[in-house]
Amino acid sequence: AAAGGVADVAGVLMTALVDTFGAVAHNAYLVDAERDRLTLIRADGYEEEIVAQFATIPLEARTPLTDAARTGE
């Protein structure tokens, strides 16, 4: 059978972050098909209001996360 999908891979990554670094809050985003925003696929350790506020982030926003997504650095 095929892998469960991107959300399952994100879950494995999040577990590794907790196990390795003791992270208490973490998230994972994907660049959408139009390549104009990041879409949250997993968030643990955040309050619901924060998760809702950052469910999508325009790639034009100037943040370390969007800069890395745009440049690959």
Side-chain angles (χ1 to χ4, degrees):
V6 173
D8 290 337
V9 172
V12 171
L13 176 62
M14 298 302 129
T15 299
L17 286 171
V18 171
D19 293 347
T20 303
F21 300 108
V24 294
H26 39 269
N27 54 56
Y29 285 87
L30 284 178
V31 177
D32 74 325
E34 292 80 28
R35 298 203 45 83
D36 65 350
R37 69 182 165 271
L38 296 174
T39 301
L40 184 66
I41 60 167
R42 174 109 183 207
D44 296 319
Y46 297 98
E47 294 189 20
E48 288 182 34
E49 300 85 32
I50 299 296
V51 172
Q53 181 180 357
F54 293 99
T56 61
I57 303 173
L59 273 179
E60 64 200 24
R62 292 295 189 194
T63 70
L65 179 64
T66 55
D67 290 349
R70 272 193 316 278
T71 66
E73 296 179 9

